Structures are given as structure tokens and as C-alpha cells.
Amino acid sequence: KASSPRQSSQSPIFKMSCGKTCAIASALILVVCGIAIMILGMMHQNLMPDSLDKGCRNMAKSTECIVVSYGEDMAAYIGPIDKEKVYNDCMWKVKNETGDCKCPGTKDDMGDHKGCDCSGTSFGAALDVSKALFIGVSVWGLVMCLCVAGLAIMATRTPEGCFSVFFYSTCSGLLHVVFVPIGGLFIVLGMASSADSSPIIIFMDNCKANVLDMMEDDSKAAECVADAACFTFETILKSTTTLGYGVGIPYFVAGMCMFLA
């Protein structure tokens, strides 16, 4: 008479939900996602100051258009436009008047905007927080992806029931709860700045007319300002879209890999 096998003594305590091939594939995907998160996140760490810089650069370029709009006699009277000074004055006003930063010079004689001290102001805090946030999201995403990928490789080299398998499954299960929502938030950001049905894109489809309506002015000078503003908006939207999809998709894919581990 054959005796029944004792299943409980032979079954492992911890077991991977997928096989070794699946674990290795997940590890490779996580490494790629982590590197993508790091590169694209760090590329956009200065999104806020870069947006401000682009805005003032475009406004400086529009001054020549504004002067020409007043006629050739006025343009000849004013002479060549110092675009760098216009750019510097724009940055100075934003930092000093809007951001409450301490800047060298006065309103009549503005100094170099690079000498402005924004420490202790809400403007400076917003710049620091946004930069720290993008760096944190990038570094944390890369480190966690590499850690889980390492655990996945370790789990394939140890017998089922080993604690490395337990840590791999547990860490994957916990981290996917964080990775998927973060990825979703960034993807929504990308969609908001690129989807045809987005209110922002609807506004940008007829940007110049909308800006002129807001200014309540349809002069040639106002058109120059509107063109500069719309070009700035378009540039910022492109950067935001790249950031949203570039960071969001790798985060989401990494989260789903962890979920299936």
C-alpha cells in the first residue's frame, strides 16, 4: 500500500509568483525604466527658472518688433535695441517686484539680475522646492528600480523559500503602490499639456487672439507682445509634455512590473 506524500514538509515557505525568466525580464525592464527616470527627471530639474528665463528672452526679442510697430521715424529716434539689457531688466523686475527678492540697483537703474538674493522668500522657496522635487523623484526612482532589479536577480540564484525571494516579492508589492500613482500623476500632467481636449491646448489653438482679448488691445505693439507670450507658452508646454510622459511612463511601467513580480 503506497503512503501519501507529505506535502507540507516539501513545499517552500516563500515562492515567486513568476518564474526565473520572468524575474530576469522584470529586472532588465526596471533598470531601463530607472535610467530613463533619472535622465529625463534631471533634465527638467530647472523647469521653473528655465521657463522664467525663456519668457524674458522672448519679451526682449519682442521689443524690436514693438519699436518698429510705432513707425520708422520712432525706430530711428530710439536706435538699436539692447536686448540683453531688456532681458536683464525683465528678470530683475520679476525677481524684485514679483518675487520680493533683494536685487542690486533701483527701478531707475537696475543692476545685474544674477545678483538678486531670493533666500527667505516664497519665490526662492518655490524654485528650491521644485528643483528638489524633480531631483528627488529622479534619484529615488532610479535607486528603487535598481534595488528591486537586484533582488530579482538574487531571487533567481537562490532556492525557493529563501529570504531573498521573500524580500523581492515584498518590496515589489509595496513599491508598486507608490510607483503606479506617481507615474499616473506625471502622465496626467503630460496629457494636460498635449491632449487636444485639454483646456490649455484649446487656449493655445487660438493663443494670439486670446492673449489680445486679455490685453484688450489690438495694436501692432500688442501683437508683438502676444506673439512673444504665445511662443513662451508653447515652449513651456513642450517641456512639460516631455517631462510628464518621459518620467510618468517609466514610473508606471516599473510599477506594473513590480505588481506582476
Side-chain angles (χ1 to χ4, degrees):
K1 184 178 179 180
S3 58
S4 59
R6 299 176 62 183
Q7 298 283 345
S8 59
S9 63
Q10 297 178 0
S11 60
I13 301 173
F14 308 118
K15 186 177 180 179
M16 287 188 291
S17 59
C18 63
K20 292 184 177 181
T21 303
C22 175
I24 294 174
S26 296
L28 292 175
I29 293 173
L30 287 172
V31 170
V32 172
C33 287
I35 293 173
I37 290 170
M38 185 66 178
I39 293 175
L40 291 166
M42 295 299 287
M43 281 175 56
H44 293 85
Q45 62 176 296
N46 293 315
L47 180 62
M48 284 188 64
D50 286 348
S51 299
L52 173 61
D53 181 86
K54 290 172 183 175
C56 284
R57 288 285 181 193
N58 290 328
M59 291 305 297
K61 291 177 182 178
S62 72
T63 53
E64 191 173 53
C65 172
I66 294 172
V67 171
V68 171
S69 70
Y70 287 117
E72 295 181 359
D73 293 339
M74 179 62 71
Y77 175 76
I78 295 176
I81 303 296
D82 187 350
K83 295 180 182 179
E84 281 301 315
K85 185 178 185 310
V86 176
Y87 160 75
N88 180 78
D89 291 351
C90 173
M91 294 289 288
W92 191 96
K93 288 180 179 178
V94 171
K95 293 180 179 180
N96 183 262
E97 298 177 6
T98 306
D100 294 327
C101 303
K102 296 178 181 178
C103 296
T106 63
K107 291 183 179 180
D108 297 326
D109 185 19
M110 302 175 193
D112 188 351
H113 77 91
K114 295 179 181 178
C116 294
D117 181 12
C118 298
S119 57
T121 65
S122 57
F123 178 80
L127 294 179
D128 293 339
V129 169
S130 65
K131 184 173 183 177
L133 177 63
F134 290 135
I135 293 176
V137 168
S138 304
V139 175
W140 188 82
L142 173 64
V143 171
M144 290 300 102
C145 283
L146 293 180
C147 286
V148 176
L151 289 173
I153 298 300
M154 288 177 60
T156 63
R157 295 179 175 273
T158 53
E160 291 182 340
C162 182
F163 275 98
S164 62
V165 179
F166 168 74
F167 285 131
Y168 168 53
S169 298
T170 302
C171 289
S172 296
L174 293 175
L175 287 175
H176 98 271
V177 178
V178 181
F179 267 69
V180 171
I182 291 177
L185 286 174
F186 274 94
I187 290 173
V188 168
L189 177 65
M191 292 176 64
S193 58
S194 63
D196 293 337
S197 59
S198 169
I200 300 175
I201 300 302
I202 293 174
F203 177 88
M204 289 299 298
D205 286 340
N206 200 16
C207 179
K208 185 174 181 178
N210 290 328
V211 172
L212 290 174
D213 287 342
M214 293 170 63
M215 295 173 63
E216 298 182 352
D217 188 356
D218 58 356
S219 64
K220 291 184 178 180
E223 289 184 4
C224 295
V225 174
D227 286 335
C230 290
F231 184 74
T232 301
F233 295 155
E234 184 179 353
T235 304
I236 295 173
L237 283 176
K238 288 181 179 179
S239 297
T240 305
T241 301
T242 304
L243 171 67
Y245 288 127
V247 174
I249 292 176
Y251 251 102
F252 190 83
V253 172
M256 293 306 298
C257 280
M258 294 175 187
F259 174 74
L260 296 173

